Amino acid sequence: MGKLRSAALILGEGPTEFYYFKSLSGLFKGLTIAPDYPKHTSIKELEAKIVEGINLCYDHIFCVIDMDTKDREPEHFQYERLKKKYSKLIYKPRKGINCKVEFFETHRCTELFFLYYFRYTSRMYTDQESLLNDLNQRVEYSKTKEFFTKCKGLHSYFERNGGSLESAIVNAARSMEEKLASGRDYTYSELGRLMEELKKYSSTNPHCSLNLVE
């Protein structure tokens, strides 16, 4: 019989998520980071990591999703099928598996949550570049490995420049409230809710693991 790991596994889709969540390691007790050299991943690769996490007996798997690549085919169909497949608890007691898989979406991408460190917006962004331009009006930012390394931790970098994680959480929650109320399908982030989940894990579990898809 397998042994259930009372720990969360976080799956991201690329370098941005890897470097951002790595910068949060000081906030969440027991947070570990892997791998060291992340790359952008496909839906197929993401599912392979979900399956791996389930087989390793994690009790909760959080998937961090950029929606700007999920609003066109075939990615949209593949992603919706993936969510449906893992919409129910995975329970295999003989193997020690009792796992819940959740998806946390941001439209257009994780950089919206970074902008929420500084201010709220519900503007419709037609491309990622326009979002990055708005972010750069508040803080210098470049979506490159060189910048991620140079800034010495994205979270602390944003806060050193006047941003706030608590503000980002509040603004993300507001975006979701407005999304539900208006039915809009753009400019929203569920990462605030993910942060609240991580707070719960870090306060009750010394082995919260973070694994960014390689």
Side-chain angles (χ1 to χ4, degrees), residues 24-49:
L24 295 174
S25 59
L27 298 181
F28 302 113
K29 182 180 179 182
L31 195 64
T32 58
I33 313 295
D36 292 329
Y37 302 101
K39 67 175 184 178
H40 292 288
T41 188
S42 66
I43 294 293
K44 183 178 180 180
E45 291 167 324
L46 177 62
E47 182 169 13
K49 286 295 181 179

Side-chain angles (χ1 to χ4, degrees), residues 85-119:
K85 182 176 181 178
Y86 292 103
S87 61
K88 295 182 180 180
L89 186 72
I90 310 299
Y91 183 57
K92 300 178 181 179
R94 289 184 178 273
K95 295 183 178 181
I97 293 173
N98 184 22
C99 181
K100 182 178 182 180
V101 181
E102 287 192 84
F103 297 84
F104 295 82
E105 303 171 353
T106 299
H107 190 284
R108 300 191 62 87
C109 54
T110 299
E111 278 78 10
L112 177 67
F113 191 69
F114 299 166
L115 180 57
Y116 281 166
Y117 266 72
F118 301 91
R119 69 175 179 87

